[in-house]
Amino acid sequence: MIRFQQVTKIYESANKTVKAVNNITFQVEEGQICVFLGPSGCGKTTLLRMVNRLIPITSGTIEVNGKEIHSLDPIALRRSIGYVIQQTGLFPNMTIEENICVVPNLLGWDRVKMKKRYNELMEMMGLNPDEYRKRYPWELSGGQQQRIGVARALAADPPVMLMDEPFGALDPIIRERIQNEFLRIQKDVKKTILFVSHDLDEAIKLGDTIALFRSGELMQHGTPDEILSQPKNEFVAEFVGSERALKRLSLFTMRDLVSRLNPADRKSAGKRDLRHTVHMDTNLRTALSVLLSSPTGEAAVVDDNGQISGVVSIADFERLTGIHPSERTSAVQ
Amino acid sequence: MEVILFLQDNWREMLQLTWEHLQLVGLAVGVAILTGVPFGIYIAQRESLANLVMAVAGIIMTIPSIALFGIMIPILSLIGQGIGFLPAFLALVLYSQLPIIRNTYIAIKNVNPEMRDAAIGMGMTAWERLTKVEIPLALPVIMAGVRTAVVLTIGIGAIAAYIGAGGLGEYIARGISTSYTTMVQAGALAVSILALAIDFLLGRIQKRLSSQTAKTS
Ligand SMILES: Nc1ncnc2c1ncn2[C@@H]1O[C@H](COP(=O)(O)OP(=O)(O)OP(=O)(O)O)[C@@H](O)[C@H]1O
Ligand SMILES: [Mg+2]
């Protein structure tokens, strides 16, 4: 768990002072991803980097798993926190294996244990350990480098990870794929993660909660659904934009909707012309586009085995208004 | 043509002198690396000191080498080493300092701040950061400084013969004093070839080093 209490950061330079982070209090529960969101210069990076003491705090306290960070040795603190930065974070003078093993090496692990960990992490990232072991970072694509960056942060199995726009520089398709992998990995490793982003869609997709900032102040901290459906103030409403109803759909999958369909509809599935199908795990935003392209306004829902388990129509989407996020039957990919 | 004949007749002595020359240069640059690199790293953390050091080193560079030898002779005479190897060696160490200190300083200074940031963020101590990240990344540029220093001292080393330090300068000095032009030419030619060859060799090493850190900045 990470707890911020009245955290303030004031940058003082020769001719002016900037209040980059202003009296922020909130907490992120263990095993959850909290996405820091907000316009450029609102203080996301500053707040993030105060957690591993890369930036000294002006006032307030930050606790990581119950310990105030200033009661800890900064070197030990940083080794216990995974840190992922944009692309260039890999050391060009080290091979992929050396890069991934930086922190284990600092911690003095033995060779065999490091090698095992390297293999394990590469498998986890979907990369062949032997193929990349002796290669250098610049020999990898941006997406691969980013995965190595995540693997490196995970190497010593830290309970907490800090990620500053880790996927920011990737093109949209690769980015989406890495986001999916990242969520899959997080399901297993269950780290407490602070994740900086300036992209609302990314925040909705990855965040268990979103913390939205404006010029150093916390505007709202809540689940993506809360942020989208109950914006606390004008700024939040404007930030999430007019598309928020649509964006909210991407929080749910067909599974959530089908579980609420009439049994009658399920039976009738066989009689219809069903060229339009959607998979159970498709999110509702994508599903809606399928429905809209279907001439009858209907589509069949198929499960993993290709079995049709129901039919949905656009009208069924109305049921969603009654779904509360806590009742979600599935995690969104 | 005469030069070639001269070389044919004197190649043994020539090799001997080349070896002396290399010893002088190698030792001087070796010591300059051992002192200049740590010093360059040190001043990279202290901006105000850096400017002073650069200025002083710059002044040393502007002293003509023959004058520097001249300055050393009375000082070292006090310990009975006025001429010979020691003053030449010391002068060459001084001359090699500037390129080495300057390149080290610039290289460390120019290490991508994000690399430094990542290193600190992963929990490296200042020493670990220096040895595992900053020096390896700075190595190609430091190496370029060493290369400059070597070529520089090979040239200046030729003048050291005047104060009895030996080396290929012998031929030049002896040739001038006896008006034996061919000997002067042979000496000059040998010095140039030596400088070019060593420069080429170090260039290869430098290239290999920088290919490993190609995409640094
Ligand atoms: N070292 C510094 N000295 C002075 N002011 C700074 C410093 N670092 C950041 N700031 C200021 O603090 C504010 C917050 O900066 P920060 O980098 O935390 O923003 P951010 O939310 O991460 O922005 P972005 O999305 O562009 O990365 C900005 O106004 C910035 O100009
Ligand atoms: Mg930032």
Side-chain angles (χ1 to χ4, degrees), chain A residues 111-127:
Chain A
R111 213 171 271 274
V112 179
K113 192 173 167 196
M114 279 202 284
K115 191 166 177 180
K116 190 162 154 266
R117 184 63 179 153
Y118 165 79
N119 289 341
E120 208 172 274
L121 285 163
M122 290 297 275
E123 303 281 348
M124 192 191 271
M125 296 296 144
L127 296 170

Side-chain angles (χ1 to χ4, degrees), chain A residues 11 13 18 20 38-47 165 198:
Chain A
Y11 285 115
S13 43
V18 182
S40 188
C42 68
K44 308 179 291 289
T45 299
T46 303
L47 189 61
E165 302 205 32
H198 57 242

Side-chain angles (χ1 to χ4, degrees), chain A residues 142-208:
Chain A
Q144 290 166 338
Q145 288 185 22
Q146 213 42 257
R147 271 178 272 189
I148 303 297
V150 174
R152 183 175 68 171
L154 283 168
D157 206 19
V160 173
M161 303 242 284
L162 308 178
M163 309 178 78
D164 196 348
E165 302 205 32
F167 311 140
L170 303 177
D171 72 68
I173 295 169
I174 309 278
R175 191 174 179 180
E176 176 143 7
R177 208 156 67 206
I178 291 206
Q179 287 169 344
N180 292 339
E181 275 172 30
F182 174 66
L183 282 175
R184 171 180 61 74
I185 292 164
Q186 165 68 355
K187 254 190 213 160
D188 296 333
V189 296
K190 293 256 184 303
K191 304 292 179 194
T192 311
I193 298 173
L194 304 182
F195 187 110
V196 172
S197 173
H198 57 242
D199 175 12
L200 179 62
D201 290 313
E202 183 172 68
I204 291 171
K205 181 167 181 176
L206 300 182
D208 294 304

Side-chain angles (χ1 to χ4, degrees), chain A residues 164-308:
Chain A
D164 196 348
E165 302 205 32
F167 311 140
L170 303 177
D171 72 68
I173 295 169
I174 309 278
R175 191 174 179 180
E176 176 143 7
R177 208 156 67 206
I178 291 206
Q179 287 169 344
N180 292 339
E181 275 172 30
F182 174 66
L183 282 175
R184 171 180 61 74
I185 292 164
Q186 165 68 355
K187 254 190 213 160
D188 296 333
V189 296
K190 293 256 184 303
K191 304 292 179 194
T192 311
I193 298 173
L194 304 182
F195 187 110
V196 172
S197 173
H198 57 242
D199 175 12
L200 179 62
D201 290 313
E202 183 172 68
I204 291 171
K205 181 167 181 176
L206 300 182
D208 294 304
T209 63
I210 296 175
L212 188 56
F213 299 92
R214 181 181 64 172
S215 44
E217 299 193 32
L218 180 61
M219 292 287 109
Q220 185 168 359
H221 178 225
T223 62
D225 191 59
E226 280 164 6
I227 299 267
L228 290 171
S229 59
Q230 305 149 38
K232 247 188 187 167
N233 55 39
E234 196 93 330
F235 174 79
V236 180
E238 208 162 291
F239 192 89
V240 300
S242 49
E243 279 183 277
R244 63 196 170 96
L246 208 53
K247 286 199 179 2
R248 186 168 176 255
L249 285 180
S250 61
L251 289 170
F252 302 95
T253 67
M254 267 339 249
R255 212 178 283 278
D256 300 312
L257 192 57
V258 166
S259 64
R260 291 166 182 270
L261 286 180
N262 261 319
D265 286 335
R266 299 189 186 197
K267 282 191 207 100
S268 62
K271 296 176 207 148
R272 306 185 188 199
D273 165 31
L274 295 169
R275 272 167 304 178
H276 292 82
T277 61
V278 285
H279 189 271
M280 275 288 197
D281 290 328
T282 315
N283 78 47
L284 292 185
R285 195 171 169 182
T286 312
L288 185 62
S289 64
V290 174
L291 287 175
L292 288 172
S293 68
S294 154
T296 56
E298 288 180 335
V301 184
V302 296
D303 60 21
D304 288 333
N305 306 321
Q307 291 283 310
I308 294 175

